[in-house]
Amino acid sequence: MERMVNARLYHDLEQSACLDESQSGFRRHRTTVDQLVRFTQSVINAWQAKSHTVAVYVNLEKAYNRVWRTGLEVRLQEHGITGRMYRWLKAFLTERFIRTQIKGTLSRTRPLADGLPQGSALSCTLFLIFMNNISNAIHTPNRLSYADDIVLWQQDTDIDKATEAVNRDPASLKCFCERWKMRINTGQTVHTTFSLSNSVLKKTLDIRIGNDSLKRDDLPRYLGVLLDPRLCLRHHIEEVANSVRERTRILQKLAGTTGAPRHSP
């Protein structure tokens, strides 16, 4: 039943073209590769214009578990979901409980006031709806989302101006999250500079969310890929190569060979 409702709900959302174009998570014919290409191409285009890029990778704390259900009901109505569909979804989200089992002993049952049901086919689509109005909070076109993975960036020939501009975006996102009872994990939110200038790469930037200063990460992992300041991808390739070598070594041990070719009798 959940899959049938989800298929109908998702189809209506795509047909009405109301989903944020910068969001690619949980959407058909969109992958992490699309987001990576769009972001890295923007950085390369900036280099051709002799500009620098300052990017902030936002980490939302327990995004799915913190979805405000009352706010989600408001979002559903804003997206034109009313009548039987709305009542069914509201009933689907209410009166949910959780308990754990350790060595055959069950804990007391506790109600789940917020968050989305784990493992449900509907949860992904409902999360898209809940986060869909983020474009109203952050007006910059330099923004991409893949589910709860968000990257914001600004570009300028003057690195100080790019820093000043990018500082406004996390502040706007913070206000959005506070209004909708989400939380930014400032300890895991980092920033990176992409530039062809050594002096710019060495410069310390002051990027903040509220009173919290964000850490600098020269090798951020975005959607599974390590991005270095000049997009050489050398560190990512080395990491993948080391992983392949380690797994090959394990397979060789399981096969009972050191790598020498076997000769059939």
Side-chain angles (χ1 to χ4, degrees):
M1 181 65 178
E2 291 178 21
R3 292 184 180 277
M4 182 179 67
V5 173
N6 182 61
R8 176 63 180 272
L9 178 61
Y10 178 78
H11 177 267
D12 289 346
L13 290 171
E14 290 287 11
Q15 286 296 109
S16 60
C18 63
L19 291 178
D20 189 352
E21 274 302 307
S22 70
Q23 173 66 264
S24 291
F26 312 129
R27 300 181 68 179
R28 292 172 191 160
H29 312 300
R30 299 195 183 201
T31 67
T32 56
V33 174
D34 298 325
Q35 300 295 77
L36 284 164
V37 169
R38 289 173 67 181
F39 175 61
T40 54
Q41 188 60 52
S42 177
V43 172
I44 293 170
N45 291 344
W47 288 342
Q48 293 175 346
K50 301 186 183 304
S51 294
H52 319 287
T53 301
V54 181
V56 176
Y57 305 88
V58 180
N59 183 284
L60 296 180
E61 184 176 319
K62 300 178 180 178
Y64 299 94
N65 294 332
R66 295 185 63 89
V67 169
W68 181 31
R69 292 187 182 174
T70 302
L72 176 57
E73 293 171 10
V74 173
R75 286 275 196 251
L76 290 170
Q77 293 177 330
E78 289 177 348
H79 286 73
I81 301 167
T82 57
R84 292 180 180 178
M85 175 68 82
Y86 173 77
R87 291 193 296 270
W88 192 96
L89 291 171
K90 185 175 181 179
F92 170 77
L93 293 169
T94 55
E95 295 187 5
R96 285 192 169 268
F97 302 87
I98 189 173
R99 63 179 180 177
T100 59
Q101 181 177 357
I102 301 177
K103 295 182 179 179
T105 302
L106 290 171
S107 67
R108 288 183 297 174
T109 301
R110 295 183 179 275
L112 288 175
D114 290 313
L116 296 171
Q118 296 292 326
S120 170
L122 266 168
S123 294
C124 297
T125 304
L126 292 176
F127 185 79
L128 290 180
I129 294 173
F130 184 72
M131 295 294 293
N132 197 42
N133 284 22
I134 195 172
S135 57
N136 294 338
I138 306 174
H139 301 292
T140 175
N142 298 331
R143 166 180 51 83
L144 290 174
S145 302
Y146 195 90
D148 60 336
D149 287 312
I150 302 172
V151 60
L152 313 167
W153 71 95
Q154 292 291 347
Q155 298 162 330
D156 202 289
T157 54
D158 186 334
I159 189 63
D160 293 327
K161 290 183 179 179
T163 303
E164 181 182 355
V166 84
N167 264 314
R168 291 192 291 266
D169 298 330
S172 300
L173 180 60
K174 184 174 185 290
C175 293
F176 171 86
C177 289
E178 288 176 347
R179 180 181 179 186
W180 294 97
K181 299 189 177 182
M182 304 291 284
R183 184 180 299 168
I184 298 176
N185 186 344
T186 53
Q188 298 296 323
T189 298
V190 299
H191 70 87
T192 304
T193 302
F194 296 92
S195 177
L196 299 179
S197 168
N198 288 327
S199 60
V200 168
L201 292 178
K202 292 177 181 178
K203 189 169 185 177
T204 301
L205 306 182
D206 184 21
I207 299 179
R208 296 175 174 269
I209 297 181
N211 295 325
D212 298 315
S213 181
L214 300 183
K215 298 177 183 177
R216 176 171 178 164
D217 188 349
D218 289 331
L219 286 174
R221 187 181 298 277
Y222 179 56
L223 300 179
V225 177
L226 287 174
L227 300 176
D228 55 273
R230 289 181 174 166
L231 295 182
C232 299
L233 300 182
R234 178 171 58 85
H235 295 85
H236 181 72
I237 293 171
E238 288 177 355
E239 183 182 69
V240 173
N242 290 334
S243 176
V244 170
R245 279 193 291 267
E246 181 61 27
R247 295 186 182 187
T248 302
R249 192 178 301 116
I250 294 173
L251 290 174
Q252 288 173 347
K253 289 182 178 180
L254 291 175
T257 176
T258 59
R262 288 187 171 184
H263 298 285
S264 57

